Amino acid sequence: MSEPKTPTPAGDTYKGWVFKWTNYIKGYQRRWFVLSNGLLSYYRTQAEMGHTCRGTINLATATITVDDACNFVISNGGAQTYHLKASCEVERQRWITALELAKAKAACMQAESDDSGDDFSPSSPPVAPGQGGGSQNSEVQSALRTLGSKVEDLSTCNDLISKHGSALQRSLSELDNLRLTGEAGDKIRQVTERATLFRITSNAMINACRDFLALAQAHSKRWQKALQAERDQRVRLEETLEQLAKQHNNLERAFRGAAQANATADNKSSAGPGKGEASDDDDDNEFFDAVEEAPEFITVPADPHFHKRSSSNISGFNSEMCPDDQSLNEEPLVINQESLSQDLIPLKKRRTRIPDKPNYSLNLWSIMKNCIGKELSKIPMPVNFNEPISMLQRLSEDLEYHELLDKASKCQSSLEQMCYVAVFSVSSYSTTVYRTGKPFNPLLGETYELDRRRESGYRSLCEQVSHHPPAAAHHAISDRGWTLRQEITVASKFRGKYLSIMPLGTIHAIFEKGNNHYTWKKVTTTVHNIIVGKLWIDQSGEIDVVNHTTGDRCHLKFAPYSYFSRDVARKVTGVVMDKDGKAHYVLSGTWDEKMEFSRVMQSSRGGENGTEGKQKTVYQTLKAREVWRRNPLPEGAETMYYFTALALTLNELEEGVAPTDSRRRPDQRLMEDGRWEEANSEKQRLEEKQRSVRREREREAASQRTSSQSEEGAPYDSYQALWFERCEDRITGEQIHIYKGGYWEAKDRGSWEGCPDIF
């Protein structure tokens, strides 16, 4: 085994290779250790840092002892003990120094936390959106606080150096008192002088850092003015660019209109089909070298002359597919003329920030050890595990990329439309890649509306229609010709190391143009490293998107993460086929980044054998083109629960919403404001209120059943949803809740008499 490299510090993190005792058979094995925020974690390799932590020990309560020149032991009182060995004495001393410094900082932070109790009192109140000056001042103050913390770190280092230096001088004094020979005494005095000089130098360094901090504080106002000037200039440039973009868009539309008029005139006066075929050839003669995309099939580049020589014998195929490629590349959507009059009314400015997430510590194992094997929705969880939105709002986030459905509604071909619908089903998972928080379980009868009709042409309504099992009904309709509805029941199990979330239910997308009706289901979401290590989320399973009008089908496969796989992580592949099973498009990409499509020119059986001995299908495809790409996260998203730009606006207060709307939920609002203790108390109150209402409802149902002497087995809970009605789905045969109307009319009237008092 090669000698480990010297550990390297990276800011507040210290990492490097150290040998760790495993057992009497394997002895010491090399492991990658990371010291950060008072926690010492280790991994088998550096590549495991993103997903698999092998162990973590808290240095605040740990003891660090040195065995010999290279060995040292870290223990937290018997529960965890690491026997470690460095490659040399110098490396061991570096680790010991870093560990002692981290332990001192962790103990100091724990003491401060104990003194302050459970209250959260930030040094400055949260800045409301739009208050630029306060935000800039907080940034400057944050930078000064960071500098101050670094100086405190150096002070801690100085204390450690002083402690070790004093111990060294005492040892040298004891040696000096032994009346050694003259040469040995000179050596001891020389070492003593060097130790004293080293301590004086470290003190000088600390003083210089304090002077630098004072200088930074003195110049903070000047830096703040310079920053304000730069931001004002950036705002002016953005406004100028926006005006130029609008002018460019108007000119481009005028040019397209003139070009279409000229093309129409030319087609009437000359033989135009030859020119049209030439342009199609130029567009379709772009080919690529494809690699193996999925275990089920292989894609290879098509013959550059395939499209030319096949124009006669498969003319039907080409006439159907050529328009698809052109419309799949369309960037802007045609604006509805009815919406032009609304452009005169300024749109509501949505918020772009929420209060930062507090850094509250919590003993996870003490809560979760009694929950193994239980249904997650039945476990009373503190808000520390939540994010400040409800499951209804999380369900509404499926509309983050509604533009895909807008484009699908304009498609001429059902196969092209299938591509957009399939990619839309994938895009809903892109918001989950960093979102490890659990949404609030909605109360029975809780609703959530998302009215984006003026901005994006759609509006959406969700209602919690059942509590055990928890079920939410969702209905969204767009002015651009599509309707989306679903009823999702979430089944979840805690397995000790990971949490499995299985959404049950069918999603429906209906398009007015062509009357195409699509259905699909969701895949399984898995949250790993629940107890120890960094939380990370994976999506796995298969989706069949079916067009019940034409029989078209798209089979999507979400590849689960595998340590031994050579494929890109979070990979998604799929094939769009017609009712006869003939492939027309290949979809590929990742559920957290982007999706591409490739048009299939020819398919055949061959290639490598699959896992069950079957031959894979080889698809000859044209060059892949991007259909969808994930929007970047807002600035500072890591301190705002990794919310997207849409998620930041979901819990924003709005006038006129129903009294049962999730925005009015008090425990969720308290959590968003950073008042977690009050949120926990309010959450328990709401849950107990819901239980008492349910017991009363069950008593009434039981008395009615007894008085009417109904047959045994009748429903015991007589609850009925307010805005949705239960019926049988004619497509799937499932018992579902479908929107029966009346909500938006009640909102227009401001009449909410029928809404229950759930908050």
Side-chain angles (χ1 to χ4, degrees), residues 196-233:
T196 304
L197 182 61
F198 181 76
R199 187 168 58 178
I200 294 173
T201 305
S202 64
N203 289 332
M205 180 181 64
I206 296 295
N207 293 332
C209 290
R210 285 202 177 96
D211 294 339
F212 174 76
L213 177 61
L215 183 64
Q217 291 174 338
H219 288 77
S220 62
K221 292 184 178 180
R222 184 159 56 90
W223 293 348
Q224 187 173 347
K225 289 181 180 179
L227 182 62
Q228 178 66 33
E230 291 292 334
R231 294 197 173 189
D232 292 341
Q233 185 177 3

Side-chain angles (χ1 to χ4, degrees), residues 601-659:
M601 304 303 297
Q602 195 174 23
S603 63
S604 61
R605 286 285 179 179
E608 302 175 2
N609 290 335
T611 55
E612 300 179 356
K614 299 179 181 179
Q615 286 187 325
K616 299 178 183 178
T617 302
V618 179
Y619 295 119
Q620 295 185 19
T621 63
L622 297 181
K623 182 179 179 180
R625 297 176 182 174
E626 187 173 286
V627 182
W628 163 79
R629 178 176 289 273
R630 179 174 65 93
N631 296 328
L633 290 174
E635 184 179 356
E638 62 278 0
T639 64
M640 299 184 294
Y641 309 89
Y642 287 99
F643 279 180
T644 62
L646 174 62
L648 289 174
T649 67
L650 293 180
N651 205 41
E652 186 176 9
L653 289 172
E654 293 188 13
E655 296 181 358
V657 298

Side-chain angles (χ1 to χ4, degrees), residues 333-334 402 405-406 409-410 455-457 478-482 512:
L333 291 171
V334 177
H402 62 90
L405 296 180
D406 294 342
S409 65
K410 292 167 52 62
E455 298 99 321
S456 306
S478 172
D479 296 337
R480 294 170 183 170
W482 56 264
E512 295 178 3

Side-chain angles (χ1 to χ4, degrees), residues 418-492:
M418 173 66 80
C419 288
Y420 281 112
V421 175
V423 172
F424 174 79
S425 70
V426 176
S427 68
S428 61
Y429 298 100
S430 64
T431 61
T432 67
V433 61
Y434 301 113
R435 301 271 290 278
T436 56
K438 173 183 175 293
F440 278 78
N441 288 332
L443 302 174
L444 187 61
E446 185 174 335
T447 61
Y448 180 74
E449 69 163 71
L450 183 64
D451 191 350
R452 295 291 189 270
R453 192 170 186 180
R454 291 186 53 220
E455 298 99 321
S456 306
Y458 72 88
R459 56 186 181 183
S460 158
L461 176 66
C462 294
E463 182 180 1
Q464 187 76 359
V465 296
S466 173
H467 191 63
H468 287 300
H474 180 210
H475 181 272
I477 187 169
S478 172
D479 296 337
R480 294 170 183 170
W482 56 264
T483 301
L484 184 76
R485 60 178 173 87
Q486 56 183 321
E487 181 177 345
I488 298 298
T489 301
V490 178
S492 52

